Amino acid sequence: MLVLLCSLTMAGCSKNQEKSTPEPKKTVVQKTITIGVMPDVESIPFIIAEKNGYFDKEGVKVKLVPFKSAKDRDSALQSGELDGVISDVLAVAFANDGGFKIKITSKNEGNLELMAGKNSGINSIYSLKGKNVGMSTNTIMEYTADKMLEAVKIEPAQVNKIAIPPLPTRYEMLQGGKIDAAILPEPLAGLAVKNGATVLSSTDQMGNKAGAIAFTVKSLQEKRAEIKAIYRAYNDAVDYLYKESPDKYIDFLIEKQGFPMEVRDSIKLPQYSHAELPEKEIVDDVVKWLTAKHLIKGSYTYEDLVDGSVLR
């Protein structure tokens, strides 16, 4: 009986040991979201979200990839290197028209300003008829300039559009008097004003901003939860920018974005808001403008270009 009792006791201990042995942990592969950013103010909430650890707080791994030109950014997107981009409605329409599926998930707050050079003698947008205006053609810059002119009953064909894609070159030509006027984004717009340029119109004044944040349809299907988390971190960054003094972060942003130090006292950051969808009227108007200029072949609805699900 003693032998039998010992045998039963040992068997019970063995079973308990088997039950208490922890199961091996399952390896969870965290998906990384890559976002193409430009040296502009539109990308700043993402830069702040990374710096302040808001992405980490949301448990999402984000890689911000800097680009100097929209062309390089869009090439990387279409080659599959990026999940999303800080872009605009026109670029999204162009991509879809070329067969690459991407959708706008929110608007961005970048401001564009149409301005006259210091010694141009131009103090009003009405004086632009027959003048040389620097811009990048077939882009958000030309679209915005056209809208500004049409708002005051000036036909866009009544100004001489000078194609100057590189922003630093456009700024320098405006400052040097080589062109009469130009359309510029921050931080170069603020620097131009600091050096004597006169603002004739802006998207802040018009309320007609065509900037956008967009993700590929593939990423929206496969990484929807992560993109939702990114927007929560984005909103946290917006809250930070709203409540904190620029002195606490402006030097970091200038260095991170590669802005010239001289913009420190002239840069105007947008009044950032929590992520929201672009207005239907603006998206429809962009498509109408692109179609009228024969820049796209397809006819796109708001739903074709915008995915509102990640903000819900």
Side-chain angles (χ1 to χ4, degrees), residues 120-133:
S120 65
I122 299 172
N123 296 309
S124 167
I125 192 171
Y126 296 99
S127 302
L128 285 181
K129 292 181 181 180
K131 302 298 183 180
N132 296 327
V133 182

Side-chain angles (χ1 to χ4, degrees), residues 78-213:
Q78 296 192 30
S79 65
E81 297 173 36
L82 303 174
D83 293 295
V85 287
I86 316 302
S87 187
D88 57 73
V89 179
L90 288 84
V92 171
F94 279 132
N96 279 276
D97 206 54
F100 185 78
K101 301 303 179 184
I102 180 173
K103 286 203 169 188
I104 298 164
T105 48
S106 70
K107 64 181 182 180
N108 68 48
E109 305 293 342
N111 181 40
L112 296 175
E113 294 184 326
L114 179 62
M115 57 186 60
K118 179 180 180 180
N119 299 313
S120 65
I122 299 172
N123 296 309
S124 167
I125 192 171
Y126 296 99
S127 302
L128 285 181
K129 292 181 181 180
K131 302 298 183 180
N132 296 327
V133 182
M135 64 183 71
S136 52
T137 54
N138 300 335
T139 67
I140 187 174
M141 300 288 180
E142 185 182 11
Y143 165 77
T144 301
D146 281 4
K147 296 294 116 177
M148 291 173 175
L149 293 168
E150 290 170 358
V152 294
K153 310 302 182 185
I154 296 176
E155 288 294 326
Q158 291 180 290
V159 304
N160 300 324
K161 296 178 180 179
I162 308 299
I164 313 170
L167 288 170
T169 304
R170 196 184 314 165
Y171 165 79
E172 289 167 6
M173 290 182 70
L174 179 70
Q175 290 298 106
K178 302 290 180 63
I179 52 178
D180 301 302
I183 184 163
L184 291 168
E186 287 292 340
L188 291 179
L191 188 59
V193 172
K194 179 184 177 182
N195 292 328
T198 301
V199 177
L200 306 176
S201 185
S202 72
T203 51
D204 272 350
Q205 295 171 8
M206 293 185 59
N208 187 27
K209 297 183 178 184
I213 298 169

Side-chain angles (χ1 to χ4, degrees), residues 17 51 65 87 110 147 152 162 169 216-217 239-240:
Q17 286 175 355
K51 176 181 182 294
V65 184
S87 187
K147 296 294 116 177
V152 294
I162 308 299
T169 304
T216 66
V217 169
D239 291 339
Y240 172 86

Side-chain angles (χ1 to χ4, degrees), residues 3-4 11 44 48 65 82 85 96 134 171 184-185 218 233 280 286 294:
V3 172
L4 179 60
I44 285 176
I48 291 295
V65 184
L82 303 174
V85 287
N96 279 276
Y171 165 79
L184 291 168
K218 183 176 186 290
K280 183 178 186 298
V286 166
H294 305 291

Side-chain angles (χ1 to χ4, degrees), residues 223-236:
K223 304 177 181 180
R224 186 171 298 273
E226 288 81 3
I227 295 172
K228 281 177 172 282
I230 284 172
Y231 272 114
R232 291 195 295 270
Y234 179 96
N235 289 341
D236 284 345

Side-chain angles (χ1 to χ4, degrees), residues 24 28 34 36 45 78 84 104 106 114 151 176 186 191 199 222 225 252 266 268 273 291 297:
V28 178
T34 55
Q78 296 192 30
I104 298 164
S106 70
L114 179 62
E186 287 292 340
L191 188 59
V199 177
E222 298 176 357
F252 167 79
S266 62
K268 294 183 295 182
S273 62
T291 303
K297 297 177 181 177

Side-chain angles (χ1 to χ4, degrees), residues 35-39 64-69 73 256-257:
I35 302 174
V37 297
M38 297 284 287
L64 301 179
V65 184
F67 291 91
K68 294 293 185 183
S69 75
R73 176 202 64 197
K256 184 73 174 179
Q257 290 293 74

